[in-house]
Amino acid sequence: MIVTKSLSKHYGPLVAVDGISFSVEAGEVLGFLGPNGAGKSTTMKMITGFLAPTDGSVSVCGFDVQENPVEAKRRMGYLPEGAPGYGEMTPMAFLDFVADIRGLEGDHRRRRMAYVVEHLHLDQVLHQPIDTLSKGFRRRVGLAQAILHDPEVLILDEPTDGLDPNQKHEVRTLINNMAPDKIIVVSTHILEEVTAVCTRVIIIADGRIVADDTPEGLQTRSRYHNAVTLKIDNAPDAKKLLGELDDVRRVESSEDGHLTALPKDGRVIFPSVSALARDQDWNVVDIQVDHGRLDEVFRDITTEVQE
Amino acid sequence: MKAVVTIFRRELVSYFSTPVAYVFIVIFLVLTGVFTFYIGNFYERGQADLIPFFSFHPWLYLFLIPAITMRLWAEERKSGTIELLLTLPVSMYQVVLGKFLAAWAFTGIALGLTFPIWITVNYLGDPDNGVIFAAYVGSFLMAGGFLSIGAAISALSRNQVVAFILTVVTCFMFLLAGFPLVLDFFYGWAPQVLIDGIASLSFLTHYSSISKGVIDFRDFIYFVALISFFLIANAILIDLKKAD
């Protein structure tokens, strides 16, 4: 379990993190969202014990990170921002170094090494200096190092940054597979990642928590939650008729001829829209129901704070 | 202790996987040769000892050791590996000690590779090998002193050029602490106790007595205390400035 209590970090007069409190239980995958410079990385650096908080405390698995850093760090795996690695080392030597420091031995060590090499597809680059690897491979070496000792807590700062779509998918699968018995904290600014891996989202803006919800919960805050978008090719008055439906707040039309009916207070309007289409004999060529647009919620929440 | 050994090993191997190690060793060996034979007049003196060889070590270290230490923390900061290293389950002192010992062992290797000169002097004459051994120990201890100062300064500045220059200047002050060049700054206003204290910090005074074959326990303590002081300073500085 991770517990942070009114965690703050000041750099001179600049307040990077301003009183963040939350706790995370095993089995949760917590997504840290926020604009650049919002304090995501600083918070992660304080959780992992790299930075000392100006105020407040963090404990990981019952160990206070400031008072008992070595015990807390033993239980954590951390992928720092930008996935740093020793350039002149090969991934093999680097992982050996981390395994030595983490005290992995014997059979367990061999199994874990084989596991990370297999799951992060490192076999073809194991003996090549890290400096010569592509960004994607470096990121995977960083991930391998973080999960090598099968930690209870994983802190991953932008784990999929710089990966191609296939690699992203693999890393997300890996995270999902590890999720059930671990605490995983992932920071990202890729919103699709949140719905793909997270069970909970914390949005940080200006060093403060501005939202703490499930991804679904956040989606329901969107004005597009339960909105119906459709394209009709034989009804010029469709926009007006849709707008007259009881639960429809307003109708937006896009340039390519799609109409989007936005519901009042997130009510379900699909049945009434489809009944209307049937009654009017509309020729519907495309129809879809929106679950809500995270990017729009994200923008709303984070710009509110800045204004 | 195991963590120190692991960090030590990683660091030492990394010296030899970059050109730094080879350039350093070659330059060190060439310069010791030049100084010993041309400036120290090794042959012309006609004496079977290594005094011309050892007497130039402080001046070689003055410029070569800052070149090793300037990158000690700067590289970790630049590549971001400092964040990785300091979030592994190791204490700050283990990291500082491991890195220092690796640098020290590396200069030890360079120093050890000067053995042909020892063979030469034994071939040419009948030197006192006890004195030569003591001088090697003294030189190695002095290198440790230089390294610990350089390491602490490298923790202070992420700019390698700044770290290099500051280290050269600081080491120069330590070298000449017992000489008028440094002491003149203090005469007239500082109390005699302070002046004596500063004078006793001189690398040269302590080194020259060891390199004459006299291993005085006090000289030994001096270097160990100096190294410990700067390693502690190093750990504190890194703790304060690691995020810079």
Side-chain angles (χ1 to χ4, degrees), chain A residues 91-192:
Chain A
M92 188 68 212
F94 182 51
L95 292 176
D96 262 330
F97 166 68
V98 174
D100 279 343
I101 289 251
R102 298 242 179 229
L104 301 186
E105 272 164 5
D107 227 24
H108 177 59
R109 177 180 176 132
R110 271 192 296 281
R111 267 202 316 275
R112 291 303 304 169
M113 284 288 222
Y115 176 88
V116 297
V117 169
E118 187 198 328
H119 282 80
L120 292 157
H121 306 283
L122 293 175
D123 35 343
Q124 35 167 332
V125 297
L126 266 185
H127 302 288
Q128 221 174 298
I130 291 176
D131 259 348
T132 65
L133 301 182
S134 67
K135 204 173 170 194
F137 270 119
R138 275 194 223 191
R139 182 84 28 174
R140 283 186 270 165
V141 171
L143 270 167
Q145 158 280 127
I147 64 172
L148 186 60
H149 57 302
D150 198 15
E152 291 166 59
V153 175
L154 256 179
I155 313 282
L156 308 173
D157 203 345
E158 299 187 349
T160 59
D161 189 36
L163 301 185
D164 68 34
N166 293 335
Q167 295 165 343
K168 276 184 189 165
H169 177 75
E170 279 169 15
V171 167
R172 284 172 196 162
T173 314
L174 186 75
I175 293 175
N176 282 330
N177 288 343
M178 291 187 298
D181 54 344
K182 288 191 199 316
I183 297 174
I184 304 180
V185 181
V186 182
S187 88
T188 179
H189 47 241
I190 308 165
L191 291 158
E192 59 182 84

Side-chain angles (χ1 to χ4, degrees), chain B residues 12 28 44 50 63 66 77 96 112 116 128 130 147 157 172 184 190 207:
Chain B
L12 193 59
F28 180 74
E44 290 81 350
L50 285 180
F63 290 99
R77 282 204 181 104
V96 168
D128 184 343
L147 283 169
S157 166
F172 186 67
D184 282 350
Y207 172 62

Side-chain angles (χ1 to χ4, degrees), chain A residues 13-89:
Chain A
L14 181 85
V15 180
V17 174
D18 187 10
I20 283 186
S21 303
F22 62 87
S23 64
V24 200
E25 304 274 350
E28 276 189 292
V29 180
L30 172 65
F32 255 7
L33 276 181
N36 287 331
K40 294 175 301 219
S41 289
T42 308
T43 307
M44 290 183 139
K45 284 174 187 171
M46 289 193 281
I47 296 173
T48 52
F50 179 64
L51 289 180
T54 312
D55 205 8
S57 67
V58 191
S59 81
V60 173
C61 305
F63 295 100
D64 187 295
V65 174
Q66 285 305 301
E67 272 150 36
N68 210 339
V70 174
E71 284 306 312
K73 287 169 183 175
R74 229 184 270 286
R75 285 158 180 79
M76 271 187 277
Y78 177 37
L79 172 71
E81 196 177 5
Y86 290 102
E88 78 283 355
M89 292 177 103

Side-chain angles (χ1 to χ4, degrees), chain B residues 29 52 155 206:
Chain B
L29 294 180
H206 292 277

Side-chain angles (χ1 to χ4, degrees), chain A residues 224-230 242 259-263 268-271 273-274 287-290:
Chain A
Y224 291 99
H225 180 60
N226 285 337
V228 178
T229 301
L230 68 175
L242 279 170
L259 295 173
T260 302
L262 303 176
V268 179
I269 56 167
F270 181 73
V273 171
S274 76
I287 185 162
Q288 60 191 42
V289 180
D290 238 314

